[in-house]
Amino acid sequence: MLRTISTADHDPRIPIFLSARLGVCFHPPYTTMALEKDGEIIAAFLFNIYTGPDIHVTIAGSGWTRRFLRDMGQYLFEHLQVERFTAITEKQNVVDIVYRVGGRQEGLIRNHFGPGRDGILLGVLKDEYRYRNGQHAKSTQRVSDSAGSV
C-alpha cells in the first residue's frame, strides 16, 4: 500500500534515503516528503534554500503518483506560497519529471557536479504546475526511476 509521509512527520529516513541515492549529505534547515510502499521509502522530496518566492527541491526514487505530485504542489504553492521551485540535475529522468509537472529548462550550470558534469537548471512556476487543485492537465504516465537535485 502506498502512503505519503508528509512534511509534518519529520521522518529521519527521508534524508537518509536521498543521501544514499544521490551520494550527498544534506544539512538543515530543510523539510522532506516521501512516498512509502510496504514500509519502505520509494520516492522522496527534500525542500531547502527557501527564499520566499523560490525554493530548491531535490528528488530521488520511483513510483511517482499523481497524488504524491499533488501533495508536493499543495505544500509548495498553497502552504509555503512560493511562486516557483528550482531544480538542478544532470539526470535526464529528473528533467523528464520536471517537464511532466509543467517546468522548463532555464539554463546550464557548468561543472556544477564536478569537472565535466554540468547541471541542468530547471524551474516550475506556480501557474505552470500541472498537479494543482486535485487536477492534472496533461500526462498521467508514471516516471519509473529518478534521482537528482530538483
Side-chain angles (χ1 to χ4, degrees):
M1 173 159 202
L2 292 174
R3 175 178 87 92
T4 297
I5 301 171
S6 80
T7 56
D9 294 327
H10 306 290
D11 191 317
R13 298 175 302 156
I14 300 170
I16 293 168
F17 170 85
L18 288 161
S19 291
R21 280 295 192 87
L22 302 172
V24 297
C25 292
F26 297 98
H27 302 279
Y30 57 73
T31 55
T32 59
M33 179 181 287
L35 186 61
E36 182 182 63
K37 181 177 182 181
D38 301 325
E40 297 292 323
I41 294 174
I42 63 169
F45 298 115
L46 184 137
F47 311 105
N48 63 356
I49 311 176
Y50 174 62
T51 63
D54 186 35
I55 192 164
H56 284 225
V57 180
T58 300
I59 71 166
S62 62
W64 304 95
T65 64
R66 284 176 275 173
R67 179 175 180 207
F68 190 47
L69 295 171
R70 277 194 305 270
D71 290 346
M72 177 187 138
Q74 182 178 14
Y75 176 68
L76 294 179
F77 299 118
E78 294 174 28
H79 180 73
L80 294 180
Q81 297 186 339
V82 298
E83 289 298 316
R84 60 170 285 128
F85 72 82
T86 298
I88 303 169
T89 187
E90 63 181 335
K91 300 190 179 287
Q92 185 59 48
N93 49 3
V94 174
V95 173
D96 293 343
I97 286 178
V98 174
Y99 284 173
R100 175 181 172 193
V101 301
R104 60 176 75 162
Q105 183 171 334
E106 296 180 338
L108 187 71
I109 305 171
R110 297 175 298 151
N111 292 345
H112 183 74
F113 295 103
R117 296 178 59 203
D118 298 338
I120 302 165
L121 178 65
L122 304 154
V124 181
L125 301 180
K126 177 171 60 175
D127 293 339
E128 297 170 338
Y129 196 72
R130 292 185 179 140
Y131 291 87
R132 294 189 62 213
N133 304 321
Q135 299 174 4
H136 175 250
K138 293 197 179 178
S139 171
T140 58
Q141 66 184 359
R142 281 183 159 189
V143 177
S144 62
D145 189 47
S146 301
S149 177
V150 172

